[in-house]
Amino acid sequence: MFKEMILILGVVFIAFSAFGCAEVQVWERGNLAKPHMAFDPDPLEKRFMQHVHESKTASSGGYGVGGGGCGCN
Amino acid sequence: MSEKQKIVHSILAAFEYLVFVGCLCVGVAVSYANALEIGDSLPALTVTGEGGERISLDDYSGKVVYLDVWASWCKTCRHSLPWMDGLQRRFGSQGLQILAVNVDEDPKDAQKFLESSEVKLLVGYDPGGKIPAALRVQTMPTSYLIGRDGKLKAIHGGLNDERMKEIEKEIEELISQKGEG
């Protein structure tokens, strides 16, 4: 009985914790749109690394998707 | 554990699951619901202008108003400003008023961008994001086309060449409806 109570409390806690997650609204994404927030802030260096990777592995394409987090794409 | 207890626990677990899923669905529905529909009157909106003056939508009643929510960090928004400037020059004398509501957290970012461009639009600043929150903006930029009667005629989320032509056509139509809305 005690174990089940703990389980139920755990589920309730997780459920309420999930509601605590705040959504970043589209107009609040100024910081996320900054270049240094990108996974690859330097596009030239990224392209160079991709070129090296493609040469070494004889593969190409499949890199990333469009959009930088501003919600405008 | 007795059979009765098992049934009670199963019912409790099912109830919790339903409450959880229900709350999630309500949350998603609320966050994606458009606050405004075509034909609605817009709520009283006020922003602060370049010189600290108060700009209200009511000041432009009787005009066709194109309200655009933009930010300097949004590339599409940056591209849209010169186009809107052209619209204001073209249709301004016929009763079009473009109000570009900037939602940068720091208005200086927008002012810096505006200084570097030759855009001469009516810009209002809303760093707290009260207007996009009230209008439930879901895309940057989002624009609202308001007729002479103060009623919402169109909402446009995002912008591209095709959409620009569509908006221009809508503006032309609204302007031609003198006094009728």
Side-chain angles (χ1 to χ4, degrees):
Chain A
M1 187 68 185
F2 180 71
K3 272 184 185 174
E4 278 148 9
M5 281 299 289
I6 295 283
L7 186 70
I8 290 169
L9 281 175
V11 170
V12 171
F13 178 74
I14 290 167
F16 277 98
S17 305
F19 298 129
C21 300
E23 186 185 350
V24 179
Q25 301 293 345
V26 288
W27 61 90
E28 297 170 337
R29 295 183 185 172
N31 284 330
L32 290 173
K34 284 177 182 167
H36 55 256
M37 290 296 278
F39 286 115
D40 297 294
D42 188 342
L44 278 178
E45 190 190 333
K46 182 188 172 186
R47 186 72 201 97
F48 175 71
M49 294 305 284
Q50 278 176 4
H51 181 71
V52 172
H53 182 76
E54 284 166 9
S55 306
K56 292 197 172 203
T57 60
S59 64
S60 69
Y63 298 107
V65 291
C70 73
C72 50
N73 290 301
Chain B
M1 187 190 289
S2 70
E3 275 301 308
K4 199 179 170 186
Q5 274 180 323
K6 274 183 186 172
I7 292 168
V8 169
H9 286 152
S10 303
I11 291 169
L12 264 177
F15 178 71
E16 279 167 19
Y17 178 74
L18 282 176
V19 168
F20 180 64
V21 172
C23 288
L24 274 182
C25 290
V26 169
V28 169
V30 166
S31 61
Y32 283 95
N34 244 332
L36 288 172
E37 285 181 9
I38 306 301
D40 286 355
S41 295
L42 265 82
L45 302 173
T46 49
V47 279
T48 309
E50 195 85 43
E53 74 278 15
R54 187 175 161 274
I55 302 170
S56 170
L57 260 191
D58 298 338
D59 301 342
Y60 304 102
S61 58
K63 284 193 169 195
V64 174
V65 178
Y66 183 77
L67 185 136
D68 183 71
V69 179
W70 72 284
S72 67
W73 45 263
C74 159
K75 271 188 188 175
T76 313
C77 309
R78 292 163 75 107
H79 290 307
S80 73
L81 285 173
W83 168 73
M84 288 196 291
D85 194 38
L87 281 182
Q88 184 63 67
R89 286 170 203 264
R90 201 168 133 201
F91 297 114
S93 59
Q94 296 170 57
L96 173 72
Q97 181 59 59
I98 293 180
L99 172 57
V101 176
N102 176 265
V103 292
D104 275 80
E105 277 181 45
D106 186 357
K108 280 179 192 163
D109 293 337
Q111 282 156 358
K112 213 185 285 174
F113 166 71
L114 288 168
E115 276 165 21
S116 66
S117 69
E118 289 179 8
V119 171
K120 301 263 181 277
L121 280 171
L122 177 67
V123 179
Y125 296 92
D126 180 22
K130 280 180 192 166
I131 287 182
L135 300 177
R136 297 262 172 90
V137 168
Q138 288 164 22
T139 313
M140 292 290 288
T142 294
S143 57
Y144 299 84
L145 195 53
I146 304 150
R148 292 183 195 272
D149 58 356
K151 300 262 168 69
L152 184 65
K153 303 296 179 190
I155 304 174
H156 293 281
L159 202 66
N160 55 28
D161 291 346
E162 213 170 288
R163 187 64 67 84
M164 285 175 179
K165 283 178 195 159
E166 197 183 318
I167 294 169
E168 283 176 29
K169 209 175 159 192
E170 286 170 354
I171 289 174
E172 276 176 24
E173 276 174 24
L174 285 173
I175 278 174
S176 65
Q177 297 168 0
K178 285 196 187 292
E180 299 160 22

